[in-house]
Structure formats: structure tokens, C-alpha cells
Amino acid sequence: MANVYIKTFGCALNQSDSETMVGVLEKEGHVVVSDEKNADAVIINSCTVKDEAENKLYKEIRRHKNRRIIIAGCVAQADRKLAETKLKDYSVIGTSQLSNIGTVLNDALLGKRSVLLDKPNKGKEERITLPRVRKNERVSIIPINEGCRGSCTFCKTKQARGKLYSYRKKEIISEIKKSVESGAKEVWLTSQDTGAYGLDIDDSLPRLLNEILKIEGDFMVRLGMCNPEYGVMYLKELKKILKHEKMFRFIHLPLQSGSNCVLKGMKREYSKEEFLKVARELKKAIPDLTLATDIIVGFPGETEKDFEETMEVVRELEPDVINMSRFWKRPGTPAAKMKQIDSKIIKQRSIRLRELFHKISVERNKRWIGWSGRIIFEEEGKNDTLVGRNYAFKPIVVKKEKGLILNDESMVKITSSTMWDLRGEVIFRRLIRK
């Protein structure tokens, strides 16, 4: 048996994949360690959404050049030739082969290289029921589907995750019940696009959410990224569901661009007007909703007018979170073959958007000063602090008090705010840790 260190890059689904690999490995007798110095082997769970994310994989490989290395995640899955070029010296396992991580590890320890990148349907069906070990015992990340129905010209992730494949509602409900019974206080539903859930199996996201909200127990549900076309489809249901006491009042609705011309070039399946309809109605129905969005700056063909349309949407909606990316052509995508915009223009536009968002963020966070309520501290912060989230999934930073540790539940009062978070003080503490 071996000591194994796992490094994870990327989204919540990648985090969930790593938790599953931990579960499978520990069930087979291996030990997953938090200190890489004690590891016999290293698993790097990679992300391919951006060049920057992919480059992190190669930097991590260089850090562990004297150890047995296994490459997992989306990089090789999206571009199989990498397994025989840049990654030819390492074992490689794909996103649908998680149940076989123990076999790959055992082979690697014996000096045998394995490459498992096929996507068997059986593996997909078993994925959600594989053993998992949660990184944070209070947060359970549950994949509800993988892949998507879109064909975005800039996206490489679909090459890794494939077409939409929804897990059965019965299995999802069962996994959530087990998580809550074992102490989870937050359930994060994740996938490439939660809005597409069920459309391949005659089901739907609202039906799934309504069943989840019937589960007994003290827990909150965070809905993962939902594309606007499904926001339009389920708008009436979402307005009701997001008000439920067990739902975080949070929605991740990617805009990408405020220009219909650019959205058409991206092959996005919605218009600016449809995005605005969803965002406006949700914010009207739920005034304290946290709205997160994604924006790509400098997509091929984006004019100054197109960019200004994006800025106008941001000025109106005032998103709480913007995941902003400068466009960078990804190998193998249609957008990589389009005429590119000068990088200096992209940089200038990025700065303008960032400055606008920073002003918005500062003012929106100020509105929370004076609020008090319950949070659970779910992560360590910087400078001797702990971080938790309120019902709107806003991050709240609190200085550690004597005896205050992760997983404590507290009543806090917001006393100040920054561009990125809220700052508070504990006014009452109740232990909920095991």
C-alpha cells in the first residue's frame, strides 16, 4: 500500500472527482496524505478550461519530477495525443475511469505505465455511487450530470466531458441523504451545466431540486452553473425554488458577452435579451440574490461597440461575482482559427471591466454591513481567520477567537466589507463538530 498526494485544479466537479479518487484509493488500503513530502506517488487532477489552467499541470509535474506521477482530469481527456507526447512519461487516467485509479496507481508503483482514456457507459453509471471522502466534512459536492448540449466555439471542456449524461435522480437523492446523515451542512450540485440536467433522461432540474428539498435534515443547497437558455426555460420554477429556506440564494448565470453578434460567434444558445430577462426577474423576485456570471473579453471579432454592450449589462445588473477571462485560443477549438484581436486591446478592455466591477463590488458588499445571521466556518482564511458563507453564499471572514475552529457554527454580525468579502464578529457560537 502507498502514501498518495493529490493536487486538484479546476472546478467543483474536478474537486468531486478528487474526492472520489480518495474514496476508491482508501477503500483499497492506500493512504491519501496532505503533505506531499510523505508521498510515494502524486496524482495531478488537471483542468483544461484555459491555457493558464493547463500550464499549472506542467508546473506541478516539474515540482514532483522525482516521484511517480499520475495525470488525471481534463487535459489529456480533451487532447488524447498529449498522452503520447508531453505526458508520455506518466500514467494517465480519464474522467470516466475513476473506479480504476487503484489499478493505475499499483501499476505506476511497479514502474508500469497505464493510459485509460476510454469513456465506458458503465463507468458513467457507476460514477456517482463510487466511494467518496469529502475534503471538507461539512460540504458535499454532488455531480448531477456531466457533459453538455452546447457546441461553444471557444470551449475545450466538452472535448473532455463529452455530451450530456445525467445521473439518475434516485442515485443523486441517495447520495445526498448519506451526506446529510454523515454531517454535511452544505450540498453543492455541480456539472458543466446544471440547467441541462435530465434532458437526456426525460427529467428536469426543477424536478430534481424539488425532490432534494424534501430531504429531511439541516442543510443548504448550492446550485452550480446554469446556462441562460435553461434559466429561460425554468424561470418560473427557479424564482420559487431559490426562495426555499434550504437553497442558497445564489445563481451562477454566465453572460460571456453582452453582444448578440459575439454570442452568435461563440455559438451560445441564448441572446443578450434572454440573459437579461432571467437575471432581471430573479433579482426582482429575490432582492438579496447573489448573482455570479462569466465574461470573456476579446473574443474574435469583438468590436468596441460589442464590448461596450457588455459593460452596459454589467452596469445595469451589478453582478456580485464576475469570472472574467481574456480570450485565449484553445487548440482544437473553432475560435482558435478565427481572426484574433490584438492582445493590447484585450488587456485594455479587461482593465476597464475589472475597474467597473471593483466599484460595483465595493458598493454591493457595503449593503451587508449590520446584517447578522448563522454561518458555518468551512475554510481557513489568511492571517489567522476563518471563512464561512451566509444564506446568499457571501463569504464572511472572522478573526479566530479562543477555541474557534473549522466547522464551528456561529451567529455573526457584519461590521465591515471589502471588495471581495464581508468582515464580521462572532456574537454567539454553538459547536456542531463531531
Side-chain angles (χ1 to χ4, degrees):
M1 297 301 103
N3 289 342
V4 186
Y5 175 76
I6 300 180
K7 178 67 176 181
T8 306
F9 296 109
C11 65
L13 185 56
N14 264 26
Q15 295 176 45
S16 177
D17 284 352
S18 288
E19 291 181 346
T20 296
M21 286 191 282
V22 174
V24 172
L25 290 172
E26 291 195 350
K27 185 176 181 180
E28 295 182 12
H30 298 288
V31 177
V32 177
V33 297
S34 57
D35 188 345
E36 61 192 64
K37 295 178 182 178
N38 299 324
D40 302 307
V42 174
I43 298 172
I44 307 173
N45 194 357
S46 63
C47 173
T48 192
V49 69
K50 302 177 187 177
D51 268 15
E52 180 184 3
E54 187 167 322
N55 288 338
K56 288 179 180 179
L57 164 64
Y58 300 112
K59 289 180 182 178
E60 194 70 12
I61 287 174
R62 290 193 291 272
R63 288 185 63 242
H64 301 289
K65 61 182 179 180
N66 296 322
R67 291 190 176 91
R68 302 290 188 185
I69 296 176
I70 298 169
I71 308 300
C74 293
V75 169
Q77 189 74 76
D79 190 351
R80 291 190 174 207
K81 70 177 184 291
L82 291 175
E84 303 308 326
T85 53
K86 289 185 178 181
L87 304 176
K88 62 182 176 61
D89 296 324
Y90 314 104
S91 292
V92 178
I93 186 168
T95 56
S96 295
Q97 293 277 358
L98 302 181
S99 62
N100 294 314
I101 186 61
T103 300
V104 174
L105 172 62
N106 290 333
D107 285 347
L109 293 170
L110 294 172
K112 179 182 176 182
R113 180 175 184 256
S114 301
V115 176
L116 296 180
L117 290 171
D118 290 336
K119 293 185 174 184
N121 283 332
K122 182 180 179 182
K124 286 187 175 183
E125 292 166 359
E126 293 176 343
R127 162 68 174 86
I128 193 171
T129 59
L130 290 172
R132 289 186 301 126
V133 175
R134 300 195 295 271
K135 183 176 181 180
N136 183 331
E137 65 179 21
R138 299 301 175 186
V139 178
S140 181
I141 305 174
I142 303 290
I144 61 174
N145 55 274
E146 67 173 274
C148 70
R149 303 176 82 204
S151 54
C152 298
T153 56
F154 58 83
C155 182
K156 198 171 181 181
T157 305
K158 187 170 183 177
Q159 297 173 28
R161 296 288 182 174
K163 296 180 180 179
L164 177 66
Y165 185 95
S166 300
Y167 300 118
R168 302 290 171 177
K169 186 160 56 184
K170 180 180 179 181
E171 293 175 341
I172 295 170
I173 296 297
S174 175
E175 289 302 306
I176 294 175
K177 284 181 177 179
K178 285 191 282 188
S179 295
V180 173
E181 289 169 0
S182 64
K185 292 294 183 178
E186 296 181 17
V187 174
W188 296 2
L189 305 180
T190 186
S191 72
Q192 276 68 62
D193 183 359
T194 60
Y197 173 79
L199 296 178
D200 57 328
I201 56 172
D202 193 28
D203 210 335
S204 73
L205 178 64
R207 287 183 212 161
L208 173 65
L209 288 172
N210 283 321
E211 287 299 311
I212 290 171
L213 295 175
K214 293 177 184 177
I215 297 174
E216 295 183 0
D218 178 20
F219 67 98
M220 296 282 286
V221 178
R222 190 198 75 169
L223 180 63
M225 192 276 283
C226 175
N227 270 316
E229 60 264 36
Y230 304 112
V232 173
M233 186 184 300
Y234 301 132
L235 184 54
K236 182 178 179 180
E237 294 97 324
L238 284 174
K239 284 192 284 188
K240 181 179 179 181
I241 289 169
L242 288 172
K243 291 180 181 179
H244 194 283
E245 62 181 4
K246 285 187 175 180
M247 289 294 299
F248 280 111
R249 296 191 176 188
F250 169 91
I251 187 80
H252 180 181
L253 198 71
L255 170 64
Q256 304 300 7
S257 174
S259 163
N260 283 333
C261 289
V262 175
L263 290 175
K264 185 176 180 180
M266 292 177 169
K267 279 199 173 181
R268 299 292 282 173
E269 302 294 329
Y270 56 88
S271 66
K272 172 179 73 174
E273 290 73 23
E274 289 172 321
F275 173 89
L276 286 170
K277 176 181 174 65
V278 176
R280 284 168 178 163
E281 291 199 24
L282 287 178
K283 285 173 72 76
K284 182 179 179 180
I286 310 165
D288 49 2
L289 179 75
T290 292
L291 173 65
T293 194
D294 303 337
I295 294 175
I296 296 174
V297 177
F299 184 82
E302 180 188 71
T303 65
E304 179 61 27
K305 180 177 179 294
D306 293 327
F307 177 68
E308 185 54 40
E309 288 188 65
T310 298
M311 295 282 277
E312 282 300 319
V313 173
V314 172
R315 289 187 189 103
E316 177 191 339
L317 293 180
E318 298 187 335
D320 297 88
V321 178
I322 297 181
N323 301 310
M324 183 181 72
S325 301
R326 298 181 191 180
F327 176 80
W328 194 268
K329 57 183 180 181
R330 303 294 288 126
T333 63
K337 301 176 182 178
M338 299 178 182
K339 185 177 180 180
Q340 307 297 302
I341 295 176
D342 187 285
S343 60
K344 292 181 181 179
I345 294 175
I346 296 176
K347 181 178 179 180
Q348 291 167 357
R349 290 176 183 171
S350 298
I351 292 171
R352 288 161 56 192
L353 177 58
R354 186 179 298 110
E355 289 176 345
L356 173 61
F357 171 65
H358 287 177
K359 291 177 182 177
I360 290 170
S361 183
V362 166
E363 293 304 313
R364 286 196 63 81
N365 284 345
K366 282 181 181 178
R367 301 176 190 183
W368 286 94
I369 295 175
W371 175 88
S372 60
R374 186 186 78 160
I375 68 170
I376 296 172
F377 295 110
E378 59 189 37
E379 62 180 292
E380 294 274 359
K382 297 179 181 179
N383 302 319
D384 205 32
T385 61
L386 292 174
V387 183
R389 304 265 181 173
N390 69 1
Y391 69 92
F393 209 67
K394 298 291 289 186
I396 299 173
V397 180
V398 172
K399 280 284 186 183
K400 285 184 182 178
E401 297 180 352
K402 185 177 181 180
L404 188 66
I405 65 172
L406 279 178
N407 300 324
D408 280 351
E409 176 184 348
S410 296
M411 290 290 292
V412 302
K413 181 176 181 179
I414 305 304
T415 56
S416 63
S417 63
T418 72
M419 184 189 305
W420 308 112
D421 52 42
L422 311 178
R423 301 297 170 102
E425 60 183 22
V426 174
I427 55 179
F428 176 77
R429 179 159 60 99
R430 179 168 69 90
L431 302 183
I432 62 171
R433 59 182 183 271
K434 292 181 182 178

